[in-house]
Amino acid sequence: MNALPRTPLLIALLLAAGSSYAAGVNIGIVAPQNGNFAPLGAQITTGANFEVQALQDSATVVDEPCTEDGGRAVAESLITAKAQVAIGFLCSETLEGALPRLKEAGIPVITVSVRSHIVMEDAFKNGWPFFRLAPVDSTEAAMAVDTILKSWVAEPMALIEDGTIHGRELVEAVRNALEEKGLKPVFTDTYRPGQEQQIALVRRLKKAGATRVFVGGDRSDGAVIARDAHSENIPLTLMGGDAMRAANQPVPLADGVEAIALPDYASLPVAQTTAQAMRAKGIEPDGYILPAAAAVLIANQAAESAKAENKSIADKLIGTAFQTPIGQITFGQNHELMENPYRLLEWRGNAFVPPTPPSN
């Protein structure tokens, strides 16, 4: 994700630590302010402070060191600032140290980034008030399976992966779920990644009769496979995972390649009002900017509702459908997203976009 230009407005927002805009909800914004993660921290802080100002809430920005021993200090800073809800949290290390203390203080946490199964398992086991806007890895495979069952069930299908942990686990999860539904691939393979050409692979796919291929690998490999299939006049429809959202180089991705990926939130219809308001203030809503704004909006609504109903904020976070700039967000009893944020997208020109509906 791209760092934002240091406009005067952005600098003002980043210096908003501890400042109050009005007597609304007091929200803690936890994000790295220094080091390698500072550009991502700037996105979180900028998006969150934009929404804080819009809602006339107050905000306390806390630097996130992303170290194993830094979480406790983050929690103490939030407690001292009397934060009612904390959002951000780029790193799992921070959460592991902060959540026990934040539970004692009754401060729920909404992360925009951390996907670790272990952190959520520990949180649920220990009653830590931890919620996340970031999807778990299993939801990527679930959306791939749903899409394949809807669109590829009558087509000869192949599953290939690049041998990495993520690629292998993604394809294995897809294969197991499909076989439970009675759908078996005509071809499976682990290919060697990072090659300049994959002609032998596409020829094997042709020999197996595959016309649809799910690729558990990165964008560059997918681009090479698509190019070589075209050069060999082998008609293949390729679908990858979220790893397809990467730099379009060295081989450009061919139009029509599909991906199960998180959308560009700024392109969503529901985001347009917020995105336009941000751009009017010199903020380009990329990266974590819109998710951070959504987290603040959720925190505000949950806190206001909890106050009106004399309930805890954590209780109001569960089961409430929040309308946000990144779509409807609902946390289940397990504190995970009930809506799957992954979508089927298709590469057209220079971006992944929703696929064009078939003409009647």
Side-chain angles (χ1 to χ4, degrees):
M1 309 218 177
N2 297 326
L4 297 174
R6 293 303 181 98
T7 62
L9 173 67
L10 175 57
I11 293 172
L13 290 174
L14 293 176
L15 294 176
S19 63
S20 296
Y21 306 109
V25 180
N26 187 9
I27 296 173
I29 303 169
V30 179
Q33 306 296 300
N34 303 287
N36 294 337
F37 295 133
L40 300 180
Q43 293 175 358
I44 293 171
T45 306
T46 300
N49 269 318
F50 176 88
E51 194 65 32
V52 165
Q53 287 183 318
L55 295 168
Q56 296 187 325
D57 284 336
S58 59
T60 299
V61 177
V62 176
D63 182 26
E64 182 178 13
C66 291
T67 59
E68 292 182 2
D69 58 353
R72 177 82 181 195
V74 167
E76 295 300 336
S77 295
L78 292 168
I79 293 168
T80 300
K82 298 182 179 179
Q84 296 168 263
V85 192
I87 70 99
F89 290 91
L90 194 69
C91 304
S92 59
E93 296 89 345
T94 310
L95 287 165
E96 291 167 356
L99 283 169
R101 185 72 179 96
L102 293 177
K103 175 189 175 181
E104 296 173 1
I107 302 174
V109 166
I110 303 172
T111 180
V112 299
S113 172
V114 175
R115 303 187 182 192
S116 168
H117 282 283
I118 295 175
V119 173
M120 183 57 83
E121 288 172 0
D122 288 346
F124 206 69
K125 178 175 64 178
N126 294 297
W128 298 339
F130 176 50
F131 301 81
R132 59 175 160 201
L133 291 178
V136 295
D137 290 338
S138 59
T139 53
E140 181 182 3
M143 183 58 71
V145 170
D146 286 347
T147 303
I148 290 170
L149 290 173
K150 289 177 182 177
S151 305
W152 290 7
V153 69
E155 304 291 340
M157 173 198 61
L159 301 175
I160 62 175
E161 45 92 1
D162 63 2
T164 63
I165 293 174
H166 179 73
R168 183 172 63 250
E169 290 182 348
L170 175 61
V171 168
E172 188 69 15
V174 170
R175 180 168 62 181
N176 290 339
L178 290 175
E179 290 186 352
E180 287 179 3
K181 300 290 185 179
L183 184 61
K184 293 187 177 182
V186 299
F187 179 85
T188 60
D189 193 21
T190 300
Y191 65 86
R192 187 176 178 184
Q195 302 302 294
E196 293 184 0
Q197 56 89 9
Q198 293 284 0
I199 293 175
L201 173 62
V202 299
R203 288 174 177 173
R204 292 199 303 274
L205 287 164
K206 178 183 179 180
K207 185 177 180 179
T211 62
R212 304 289 188 274
V213 184
F214 183 82
V215 183
D218 65 23
R219 181 195 188 99
S220 60
D221 290 329
V224 170
I225 294 168
R227 180 203 63 192
D228 290 352
H230 178 75
S231 68
E232 293 289 304
N233 199 27
I234 299 173
L236 295 178
T237 297
L238 299 182
M239 180 195 299
D242 199 49
M244 299 294 281
R245 292 191 306 132
N248 194 29
Q249 58 185 13
V251 177
L253 198 60
D255 281 358
V257 173
E258 298 175 338
I260 300 299
L262 297 177
D264 173 12
Y265 290 119
S267 70
L268 299 179
V270 72
Q272 293 314 298
T273 299
T274 301
Q276 290 170 12
M278 287 181 170
R279 289 178 177 130
K281 292 190 174 184
I283 301 170
E284 183 57 34
D286 60 0
Y288 287 114
I289 289 182
L290 283 172
V296 168
L297 182 62
I298 291 168
N300 169 276
Q301 293 180 6
E304 295 288 3
S305 180
K307 181 179 179 181
E309 299 178 25
N310 195 27
K311 293 184 177 181
S312 73
I313 297 173
D315 285 342
K316 294 305 300 181
L317 284 170
I318 298 172
T320 302
F322 299 98
Q323 306 304 321
T324 82
I326 62 172
Q328 178 172 295
I329 299 295
T330 312
F331 298 112
Q333 292 293 332
N334 61 355
H335 297 193
E336 301 280 19
L337 293 173
M338 294 181 68
E339 300 87 1
N340 191 328
Y342 284 101
R343 304 187 180 198
L344 173 64
L345 303 174
E346 181 179 80
W347 184 256
R348 289 291 170 194
N350 60 358
F352 276 111
V353 298
T356 303
S359 57
N360 295 328

